[in-house]
């Protein structure tokens, strides 16, 4: 090792991916010193997130601490262990003493959070091939502290807004040349689900949110799909869901929320039902929902997104999936408990009505 030059070490390290480069930096003093070179981490980020090749994004990354810090913030995915607190509660109570102002947040705390400080850096891969890269500066329709945005459900439709400032305004499509299986007919696809399986196994999503003011970043996506629905709302539509569980402590009564990232494709037959099939990306959106499935408004969403940039993360993907699945389990239990309570209340109302009816006629007769 002592006989090798620094150039040789650099040439070795520049061929590594992010995790391998980080491991090599811990192996010896020479690798540790060379691994601090920003150019190495720029290559890693460019390979993993092609949208970072844009000049405006390069300037953004440099302003928040460089590529090494950017990779350290965005490669690990968000893990929220606080969901386990509700596993034993049976159901989630919203205290009666919460006033409307307390639930919907205090505007005084928003003075330090500007929607213009947030930047979304989004990349979609299919079988290790990048099919879409988008960058959205700011949050749409969030101008002014007293705008309707703060009280309306939070939602970002990336395809509608990012195209305005994006150089590539063309449609995002997938075809057989990208690795999709050939579909003879939609009826056959409904039976075997081959295309649906290929989409779930091959698609990867990265949705990085950066706050320029606090100089922090985080990846809000789950990288691989968490679920989805095929043939909805029409036979030719496929909805694929990504996301993460974000902390909302002291922001909402439920303490945690789900960041839902929706990707929707539509099947387009180019020359007939038995010809080559193309998929067109028709929706790429983000929204936040609480434990009861209610949409979080814009005011609280800004606070939650800012807090998410500093929450716990993990490189263990199994741990990330466990956190998301646990949230879904607790949410389902909460929904079932609410349905049981409503059923008991309905029976009580019916019995009370019958008793009142019998008592009335008993008194009449």
């Amino acid at each position: 090792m002592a006989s090798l030059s620094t150039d040789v070490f650099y040439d070795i390290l520049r061929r590594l991916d992010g995790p391998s480069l980080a491991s090599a930096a811990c192996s010896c003093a020479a690798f540790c010193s060379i691994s601090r070179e920003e150019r190495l981490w720029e290559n890693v980020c460019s390979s993993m997130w092609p949208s970072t090749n844009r000049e405006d994004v390069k300037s953004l990354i440099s302003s928040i601490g460089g590529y090494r810090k950017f990779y350290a913030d965005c490669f690990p995915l968000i893990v929220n262990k606080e969901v386990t607190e509700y596993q034993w509660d049976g159901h989630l109570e919203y205290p009666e003493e919460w006033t409307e102002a307390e639930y919907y947040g205090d505007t005084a705390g928003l003075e330090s959070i500007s929607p213009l400080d947030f930047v979304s850096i989004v990349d979609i891969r299919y079988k290790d091939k990048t099919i879409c890269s988008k960058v959205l500066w700011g949050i749409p329709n969030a101008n002014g502290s007293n705008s309707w945005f703060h009280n309306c459900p939070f939602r970002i439709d990336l395809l509608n807004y990012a195209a305005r400032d994006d150089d590539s305004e063309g449609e995002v499509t997938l075809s057989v040349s990208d690795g999709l299986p050939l579909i003879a007919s939609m009826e056959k696809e409904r039976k075997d689900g081959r295309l649906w399986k290929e989409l779930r196994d091959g698609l990867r999503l990265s949705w990085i949110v950066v706050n320029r003011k606090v100089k922090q970043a985080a990846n809000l996506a789950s990288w691989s799909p968490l679920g989805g629905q095929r043939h909805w709302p029409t036979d030719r539509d496929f909805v694929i869901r990504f996301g993460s569980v974000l902390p909302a402590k002291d922001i909402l009564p439920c303490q945690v929320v789900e960041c839902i990232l929706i990707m929707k494709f539509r099947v387009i037959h180019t020359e007939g039902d038995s010809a080559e099939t193309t998929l067109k990306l028709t929706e790429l959106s983000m929204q936040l929902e609480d434990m009861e499935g209610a949409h979080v408004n814009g005011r609280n969403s800004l606070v939650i997104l800012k807090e998410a940039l500093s929450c716990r993360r993990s490189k263990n993907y199994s741990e990330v999936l466990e956190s998301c699945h646990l949230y879904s389990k607790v949410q389902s239990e909460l929904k079932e408990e609410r349905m049981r309570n409503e059923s008991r209340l309905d029976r009580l109302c019916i019995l009370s009505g019958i008793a009142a009816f019998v008592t009335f006629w008993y008194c009449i007769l």
Side-chain angles (χ1 to χ4, degrees):
M1 293 287 288
S3 63
L4 298 178
S5 67
T6 303
D7 293 337
V8 175
F9 288 160
Y10 182 89
D11 190 62
I12 294 173
L13 295 181
R14 73 178 181 85
R15 302 172 188 272
L16 303 180
D17 58 11
S20 300
L21 179 58
S23 298
C26 301
S27 63
C28 66
F31 281 175
C32 180
S33 177
I34 299 173
S35 66
R36 295 191 179 96
E37 178 64 41
E38 273 291 290
R39 183 62 183 173
L40 290 173
W41 294 103
E42 181 178 353
N43 293 337
V44 169
C45 292
S46 299
S47 175
M48 189 166 189
W49 304 296
S51 53
T52 59
N53 286 317
R54 291 178 36 153
E55 291 301 324
D56 52 352
V57 178
K58 288 182 179 180
S59 300
L60 171 66
I61 295 175
S62 298
S63 67
I64 64 173
Y67 285 93
R68 187 182 180 188
K69 179 180 181 298
F70 182 80
Y71 180 86
D73 287 343
C74 301
F75 177 73
L77 300 180
I78 293 176
V79 174
N80 198 322
K81 292 294 187 179
E82 296 180 4
V83 181
T84 56
E85 297 177 6
Y86 305 111
Q87 191 171 9
W88 315 106
D89 291 345
H91 65 281
L92 186 63
E93 295 183 357
Y94 281 64
E96 296 180 358
E97 60 267 18
W98 276 64
T99 65
E100 183 177 357
E102 289 173 330
Y103 180 84
Y104 288 107
D106 184 6
T107 55
L110 287 172
E111 295 178 358
S112 61
I113 307 176
S114 172
L116 299 177
D117 292 333
F118 291 93
V119 181
S120 294
I121 303 174
V122 182
D123 292 284
I124 305 175
R125 289 178 177 269
Y126 180 71
K127 294 185 176 180
D128 295 329
K129 177 183 177 182
T130 303
I131 62 173
C132 178
S133 292
K134 297 285 185 182
V135 178
L136 179 64
W137 295 84
I139 296 179
N141 302 322
N143 298 326
S145 59
N146 296 320
S147 67
W148 60 270
F149 164 83
H150 293 101
N151 294 316
C152 290
F154 173 81
R155 177 183 169 88
I156 296 178
D157 195 335
L158 197 69
L159 296 184
N160 287 344
Y161 295 101
R164 301 177 185 178
D165 301 321
D166 206 338
D167 295 333
S168 56
E169 298 184 2
E171 295 180 345
V172 179
T173 58
L174 280 174
S175 62
V176 174
S177 61
D178 298 313
L180 284 180
L182 187 65
I183 302 176
S185 66
M186 291 306 300
E187 290 186 4
K188 184 177 180 181
E189 165 59 24
R190 279 195 295 270
K191 294 179 180 179
D192 57 30
R194 185 183 173 192
L195 176 59
W196 171 246
K197 185 177 184 301
E198 289 288 334
L199 278 178
R200 286 188 308 171
D201 295 342
L203 280 173
R204 298 292 181 266
L205 172 65
S206 171
W207 191 310
I208 296 173
V209 172
V210 181
N211 188 298
R212 292 180 283 180
K213 186 173 182 179
V214 299
K215 301 186 182 208
Q216 291 179 323
N219 196 339
L220 303 185
S222 52
W223 192 237
S224 62
L226 296 175
Q229 192 170 1
R230 61 175 180 152
H231 309 305
W232 188 89
T234 69
D235 284 348
R236 296 179 181 268
D237 290 313
F238 296 88
V239 179
I240 302 174
R241 181 175 60 87
F242 302 78
S244 56
V245 180
L246 307 181
K249 192 173 182 180
D250 300 326
I251 303 174
L252 293 178
C254 58
Q255 305 295 303
V256 288
V257 299
E258 183 179 16
C259 176
I260 301 176
L261 308 175
I262 296 294
M263 191 186 301
K264 184 183 292 185
F265 285 91
R266 172 162 293 180
V267 178
I268 303 175
H269 291 279
T270 55
E271 299 177 7
D273 289 341
S274 60
E276 177 179 332
T277 302
T278 301
L279 290 179
K280 175 185 175 183
L281 182 65
T282 59
E283 180 182 330
L284 183 58
S285 63
M286 174 200 290
Q287 61 191 36
L288 302 183
E289 291 186 1
D290 65 12
M291 189 70 79
E292 292 191 342
H295 293 276
V296 182
N297 61 30
R299 178 190 293 119
N300 289 329
S301 296
L302 290 180
V303 182
I304 292 171
L305 288 178
K306 182 182 177 182
E307 294 299 320
L309 302 182
S310 57
C311 68
R312 181 175 179 269
R313 277 159 268 198
S314 174
K315 292 180 287 186
N316 186 347
Y317 189 64
S318 299
E319 189 178 8
V320 175
L321 287 182
E322 181 184 355
S323 173
C324 295
H325 292 158
L326 179 58
Y327 181 92
S328 299
K329 178 183 177 181
V330 175
Q331 189 179 44
S332 298
E333 293 175 353
L334 175 65
K335 182 178 180 181
E336 292 174 0
E337 179 67 20
R338 185 168 61 247
M339 292 178 64
R340 286 193 293 268
N341 290 336
E342 291 176 353
S343 178
R344 286 194 289 265
L345 182 61
D346 289 342
R347 288 196 294 267
L348 180 61
C349 291
I350 292 173
L351 292 176
S352 299
I354 294 175
F357 180 80
V358 172
T359 303
F360 173 78
W361 283 106
Y362 179 80
C363 295
I364 293 294
L365 300 176

